[in-house]
Amino acid sequence: MPRQYSLENTRNFGIMAHIDAGKTTTTERILFYTGKNYKIGETHDGSATMDWMAQEQERGITITSAATTCFWKGCRLNIIDTPGHVDFTVEVERSLRVLDGAVTVLCAKGGVEPQTETVWRQADEYKVPRMIYVNKMDIMGADFFRVLDMIHERLKCNAVPIQLPIGSETFFKGNVDLLTMKANVFYDELGKDVRVEDIPEDMVDICEEYHEKLMDAVTALDDDLAMMYLEGEEIPVEKIKAVIRKATIDNEMVPIVCGTSYKNKGVQELLDAVVDYMPSPLDKKGIRGINPETEEEDFRPASDDAPFSALAFKIATDPYVGKLCYFRVYSGTLEKGTTVLNCTKGVNERMGRILQMHANHREDIEKVYAGDIAAVVGIDRTDIGDVYTDPENPVELEPIEIDPPTLSIVFEASTSPLVGRDGDIVGARQLKERLFNEAENNVTMKIEELEDKSGVEVSGRGILHLSVLMESMRREGFEFQVGRPRVLFKKDENGNKMEPVEQAVVECPDEYSGKVVEVFGTSGGIMTSMDTSGIVTHLEFKIPTRGIMGLKNRIMNVTHGEGVFYHTFLEYGPYAGEIGNRQNGAMISMTTEKAVAYALGTLQERGQLFVEPGTECYEGMIVGERSKAGDMVVNIARTKNLGNQRSSTSDISVQLVPPRTFSLEEALEYIADDELVEITPQNIRLRKRLLNATDRKKAAVRAGQVNK
C-alpha cells in the first residue's frame, strides 16, 4: 500500500502535563474534532478512549502512555497521550525519546506545577520542540496572564502568546488570533459554531500590545522580516507563521494558545497550531547512530528510501494477541513478515503482524514508513530501547535511559486465617511467577526474590506505581500480603548516605497555611517557597520520600479537606536523619469472629474504627486506631451481659460512627514496620505480621523494645 500522507504532512507529537491539567480530556476532543471518535469521551465518567485501562477509568488518571492516529487538514497526526502522575514519569521520558514535538497542557488556575517542570526538563534533555496550551480557561480562578508569568519564571523559555483569551471563568467565550488580529468566538456547546469576528472593543489595547510583543519576537529571529516590519510593509500571515515554525523547531520559541477542552472551546485552534508549528520528521532531519561493524558514526535520514531503522519504546501485554512492541520508524520502510535485525540483542526477529494502535484498539496494516509509529506482535526477545535495523545495514541508536527505583515493597503469599475465601490464586509459586512475568514487560520495576525465599521484593518509582501492580493482581484473582514500603538509599562518591527527596506542593486557604507548615516540619520537610498573592496560599517544600508516606491524610485533616497536595521526585539528597512514624497505636482483634455493634460502640470511644458490624475479623487483624500511643488488644465480639432486669432490647441502640476505609495507597502509607496489608479481590485488610499477642510480646522482648 503506497504512502497516503507525505513525511512533510506527518506530525508525531505527545501531550504532556501535570496531573489533572486536562491532558486526556484535550486528547479526547482532538479525536472528536478530527472524526476519529463519533462521541466525546470523558475522564470523569470513565468513558475516555485513551484511558482504556480499568484502573485509569476508575482513578481518573493516565497510567500508561497510549498511542493513536488521526487526521486534520491534510496532515496525519500520530499522538501519544502520556501520564501526568510523578510515579509514571518514565512513560513520558520514553515517549519523548521517539516524538518530534510536544504540546504541554497547563491549567489556567494552577499554571506551572511540579510535574510540569519535570516533564519540561525531560523535553529539554531530548531537545523536543514544544508549544503550550493553557487549558481550563473557564474554571474559577483562571488567569491567563498569571500563568504566562509563571511560564517565564519557572520554565525560563521564550514563550510567546499567539492567542489571547476572550474573558475568563464563566465569561470565557473564545480567543483572539494575534497574527490575524481577529476573534474566534464560540456559540454552541460542542464547539462547532465558531465565528470569526472583530476584536471586542475592551480588548483592542491589550491585543495590540501583545501583537507588538509577538512581532518583536519574530522579527528578532528573521532579518528579512525585521526589515519589512521596520519599513512599514504589510507582512503576510504565512510568512510570520513560517518564522514561528522555524523558531519552534529550533527550540528558540514556544508558541502559547488557550482554551477550555471540557467546554469544547479552542481545541480546533490548537490543532491548527500543531499543523502550523509542530515539526514533521523531515524537520528533524534524521537520526545519528553508530555502525556496529565499523564503529563509525552513521546518519539515517528521514526517508523511505534509506535503510530501515526503528526504536522499540514500549512493551505491553495484550490478552488476545500476547506481547506487543511499540516502535518508531526513523528511516526506511517495513512490510509485515519481514525479518529484521535486533541490533541491541544481535538476533534476527520476524515482524509478523504490524498494527496501528488507537489506545487498546488495533488495526492490521501491511506496511509502515519512515516517521510512522506502530506496534508489532510476537516479538519475544525485544526489550524497551532495542533497535531494529536492516540486517545488511545495521545501526546502533542512543539507548533509552531509565531512572532507578526509589521505593520497594516485599510481596508474600498470604498467611491470613481467611486465605482463599475471595481469590483463586494463593500460592507462593504462582505469586512469584506472576511478578517475574511483570518484570519482562515492565522495565521500570526491579523484581528480586529474597534470599530466604520468603517473598519477592518489587522496587518502583512510588507507592502509586507499585499499587497499580497490586490492583491488577487482585483483579486477576490473587491473594497476597505486602509489608511497609521501604525507601531505597544509596551512597555518593564519598560514601555518604543519600536518600530520595521530593518536591511537595500544597495549595490551601490562608487560615490553614500555618498548620500545613507544622505538619511538614514534623515529617522532615523544609519550606522553599510561599506565595499568598492568589486566591489561596501556595506552599512548596523539599521533603524526604520517607516523610511523604501518610502525609496526604494529615494535610487533608488540618485543611479540613480544602487543601490540594501533590509531589514529584526531585533528587537524591543527604540522609535527613530519623523521621517520626505513626504516633497512635492500633486496636487489634483478639479472636477470629464477626464484629458486633455493642463491642464496636464501646471501642469507638477509645479511637477510630476500621470495621463495621458483621465484618469478619481474625486474631491479629487491625480493627481500628487507638487515640493514644501503644497497641491495644480488643474483643470485637463482646456482647451485653443479660439478666432478669436487663434484656437485649432494653438499652438504646448503639450509634456508630462510620468506619474509616482505606484505599490501597492509603493502607500502604498507614502501616508500621511490624504490620502488613492483606490484599484480596474483595478486601483490603490491615494486620500484624505476628497474629498472636504472645508471639508479638516475645518478639518485642527479643528486640529490646520492652522488658520481660
Side-chain angles (χ1 to χ4, degrees):
M1 184 178 68
R3 175 189 283 278
Q4 293 181 298
Y5 290 85
S6 67
L7 274 170
E8 186 180 1
N9 291 329
T10 298
R11 302 288 184 270
N12 294 320
F13 69 100
I15 311 281
M16 63 184 196
H18 183 90
I19 189 171
D20 206 31
K23 176 173 44 55
T24 299
T25 300
T26 300
T27 308
E28 295 295 325
R29 269 46 180 192
I30 288 174
L31 296 177
F32 175 72
Y33 290 120
T34 59
K36 189 71 177 183
N37 287 350
Y38 295 102
K39 67 174 184 176
I40 298 176
E42 303 286 8
T43 55
H44 64 269
D45 63 10
S47 62
T49 305
M50 300 301 281
D51 283 351
W52 58 270
M53 292 174 60
Q55 289 194 64
E56 291 180 314
Q57 295 172 352
E58 292 170 10
R59 296 170 184 264
I61 64 171
T62 303
I63 293 173
T64 182
S65 53
T68 189
T69 298
C70 55
F71 308 92
W72 183 256
K73 295 187 175 179
C75 279
R76 171 175 173 155
L77 310 181
N78 296 319
I79 308 171
I80 296 182
D81 180 24
T82 66
H85 196 282
V86 59
D87 286 10
F88 309 104
T89 300
V90 69
E91 286 276 342
V92 184
E93 191 159 352
R94 292 195 306 227
S95 301
L96 289 172
R97 174 69 172 80
V98 299
L99 292 171
D100 298 327
V103 175
T104 303
V105 181
L106 302 182
C107 172
K109 178 183 177 182
V112 179
E113 298 172 279
Q115 184 64 4
T116 312
E117 296 182 68
T118 300
V119 297
W120 195 268
R121 288 195 299 269
Q122 291 172 328
D124 280 340
E125 183 180 344
Y126 292 114
K127 297 180 174 58
V128 177
R130 279 146 283 175
M131 56 182 293
I132 291 174
Y133 173 58
V134 181
N135 188 28
K136 299 190 177 183
M137 282 301 307
D138 63 307
I139 67 171
M140 189 67 68
D143 189 336
F144 179 84
F145 298 100
R146 176 176 172 269
V147 173
L148 186 59
D149 290 338
M150 293 175 74
I151 292 170
H152 291 140
E153 179 185 340
R154 299 185 183 181
L155 302 183
K156 300 187 180 348
C157 61
N158 183 26
V160 181
I162 60 173
Q163 293 176 2
L164 289 185
I166 302 175
S168 64
E169 300 180 345
T170 57
F171 301 103
F172 177 74
K173 60 180 183 178
N175 53 62
V176 173
D177 187 331
L178 294 175
L179 278 75
T180 63
M181 293 298 280
K182 290 290 185 179
N184 301 305
V185 184
F186 292 77
Y187 282 92
D188 69 331
E189 293 184 355
L190 281 179
K192 291 190 173 184
D193 185 5
V194 188
R195 304 175 194 177
V196 179
E197 301 176 355
D198 291 333
I199 299 171
E201 289 186 9
D202 61 343
M203 287 191 66
V204 171
D205 290 344
I206 194 167
C207 288
E208 287 180 351
E209 177 189 342
Y210 276 87
H211 176 75
E212 290 295 322
K213 289 182 178 180
L214 171 61
M215 295 308 298
D216 288 344
V218 295
T219 54
L221 297 167
D222 188 277
D223 292 339
D224 293 338
L225 203 68
M227 187 63 65
M228 293 174 67
Y229 189 61
L230 289 171
E231 292 177 356
E233 295 183 38
E234 185 176 346
I235 303 174
V237 171
E238 293 304 318
K239 191 170 181 63
I240 301 173
K241 285 185 177 180
V243 175
I244 296 174
R245 175 180 178 80
K246 184 178 184 304
T248 303
I249 293 169
D250 294 340
N251 280 301
E252 295 177 342
M253 181 183 290
V254 179
I256 302 176
V257 296
C258 59
T260 170
S261 298
Y262 182 60
K263 294 296 179 65
N264 309 310
K265 297 174 182 174
V267 178
Q268 298 100 315
E269 287 80 10
L270 169 63
L271 283 167
D272 290 342
V274 166
V275 170
D276 289 338
Y277 307 122
M278 285 288 93
S280 74
L282 288 177
D283 294 312
K284 301 292 287 184
K285 308 300 183 187
I287 193 165
R288 298 188 181 277
I290 301 294
N291 187 318
E293 297 176 351
T294 64
E295 296 188 354
E296 295 179 352
E297 186 177 272
D298 190 359
F299 175 74
R300 294 292 169 91
S303 168
D304 294 341
D305 299 325
F308 175 74
S309 64
L311 180 70
F313 67 94
K314 178 180 172 71
I315 302 292
T317 301
D318 187 285
Y320 300 102
V321 300
K323 189 173 180 179
L324 273 174
C325 172
Y326 291 73
F327 63 97
R328 157 73 190 267
V329 182
Y330 286 103
S331 62
T333 62
L334 177 73
E335 295 184 11
K336 72 173 186 180
T338 304
T339 297
V340 299
L341 173 66
N342 182 331
C343 202
T344 309
K345 297 286 196 307
V347 297
N348 289 328
E349 300 207 56
R350 184 176 179 274
M351 311 292 269
R353 290 178 63 190
I354 301 176
L355 307 174
Q356 181 176 293
M357 302 299 296
H358 178 49
N360 67 325
H361 301 292
R362 307 169 295 275
E363 178 187 341
D364 283 270
I365 54 178
E366 298 293 320
K367 188 174 183 179
V368 289
Y369 300 85
D372 285 354
I373 294 174
V376 61
V377 176
I379 305 296
D380 297 327
R381 302 183 189 180
T382 298
D383 292 319
I384 292 172
D386 285 3
V387 179
Y388 298 136
T389 66
D390 180 350
E392 303 299 321
N393 297 278
V395 66
E396 294 177 350
L397 304 180
E398 183 182 350
I400 296 176
E401 300 291 337
I402 297 174
D403 291 334
T406 58
L407 211 64
S408 73
I409 293 179
V410 174
F411 287 60
E412 305 171 9
S414 179
T415 56
S416 165
L418 305 181
V419 64
R421 299 277 185 93
D422 297 341
D424 302 320
I425 312 172
V426 300
R429 179 183 58 80
Q430 295 157 307
L431 178 67
K432 177 183 171 183
E433 288 177 356
R434 171 62 178 85
L435 291 172
F436 278 97
N437 284 337
E438 182 72 19
E440 293 181 7
N441 301 320
N442 192 342
V443 297
T444 61
M445 287 183 176
K446 183 181 178 183
I447 299 176
E448 297 177 316
E449 188 174 14
L450 298 180
E451 290 185 4
D452 61 1
K453 310 294 184 182
S454 61
V456 178
E457 185 175 42
V458 180
S459 305
R461 293 291 294 174
I463 285 182
L464 180 60
H465 187 202
L466 295 167
S467 71
V468 166
L469 170 61
M470 299 175 198
E471 184 64 36
S472 298
M473 291 174 63
R474 69 185 294 220
R475 295 177 187 225
E476 295 166 13
F478 281 86
E479 285 193 26
F480 55 96
Q481 61 194 32
V482 296
R484 188 186 187 199
R486 179 176 68 87
V487 169
L488 298 176
F489 301 101
K490 68 179 187 180
K491 292 187 177 180
D492 63 11
E493 59 275 9
N494 299 319
N496 300 315
K497 191 175 184 180
M498 307 288 284
E499 67 174 324
V501 178
E502 310 268 338
Q503 180 186 14
V505 175
V506 177
E507 291 182 345
C508 64
D510 294 345
E511 63 262 33
Y512 303 130
S513 59
K515 290 287 186 182
V516 170
V517 173
E518 184 180 333
V519 168
F520 270 88
T522 59
S523 302
I526 300 171
M527 188 171 68
T528 58
S529 174
M530 183 175 184
D531 181 9
T532 58
S533 58
I535 310 175
V536 298
T537 298
H538 180 93
L539 301 157
E540 295 187 11
F541 302 85
K542 287 178 66 174
I543 181 172
T545 300
R546 291 177 295 139
I548 289 289
M549 289 186 280
L551 193 61
K552 184 177 180 179
N553 286 330
R554 296 174 64 191
I555 295 296
M556 291 298 106
N557 286 337
V558 299
T559 62
H560 299 274
E562 295 185 54
V564 177
F565 171 71
Y566 43 84
H567 60 94
T568 181
F569 173 77
L570 185 63
E571 61 189 3
Y572 265 86
Y575 179 66
E578 293 298 322
I579 295 176
N581 297 321
R582 189 182 81 215
Q583 299 299 310
N584 294 357
M587 297 183 189
I588 308 164
S589 174
M590 65 170 56
T591 57
T592 300
E593 295 179 87
K594 288 184 178 181
V596 173
Y598 178 78
L600 297 179
T602 59
L603 291 175
Q604 72 178 2
E605 300 173 3
R606 312 285 294 275
Q608 186 177 30
L609 295 174
F610 299 162
V611 297
E612 60 186 2
T615 302
E616 196 159 9
C617 305
Y618 55 80
E619 182 186 8
M621 178 174 161
I622 299 173
V623 296
E625 181 182 280
R626 197 180 179 192
S627 56
K628 59 177 76 175
D631 294 339
M632 178 174 69
V633 178
V634 300
N635 183 0
I636 45 85
R638 186 165 69 91
T639 56
K640 292 185 290 187
N641 293 319
L642 307 181
N644 293 333
Q645 305 300 317
R646 192 173 186 187
S647 70
S648 60
T649 58
S650 62
D651 291 341
I652 299 173
S653 59
V654 177
Q655 298 295 316
L656 293 176
V657 177
R660 177 181 175 183
T661 58
F662 290 88
S663 68
L664 188 49
E665 293 86 35
E666 291 169 344
L668 294 170
E669 291 181 336
Y670 180 81
I671 59 173
D673 289 334
D674 66 335
E675 296 167 355
L676 299 170
V677 178
E678 178 194 349
I679 300 168
T680 80
Q682 303 298 327
N683 293 286
I684 296 171
R685 303 185 184 99
L686 309 184
R687 51 162 286 183
K688 288 292 182 179
R689 177 172 288 281
L690 299 174
L691 298 177
N692 183 267
T694 303
D695 293 340
R696 292 196 298 273
K697 180 71 179 295
K698 290 178 179 177
V701 171
R702 287 195 297 270
Q705 297 171 344
V706 297
N707 298 321
K708 289 185 178 180

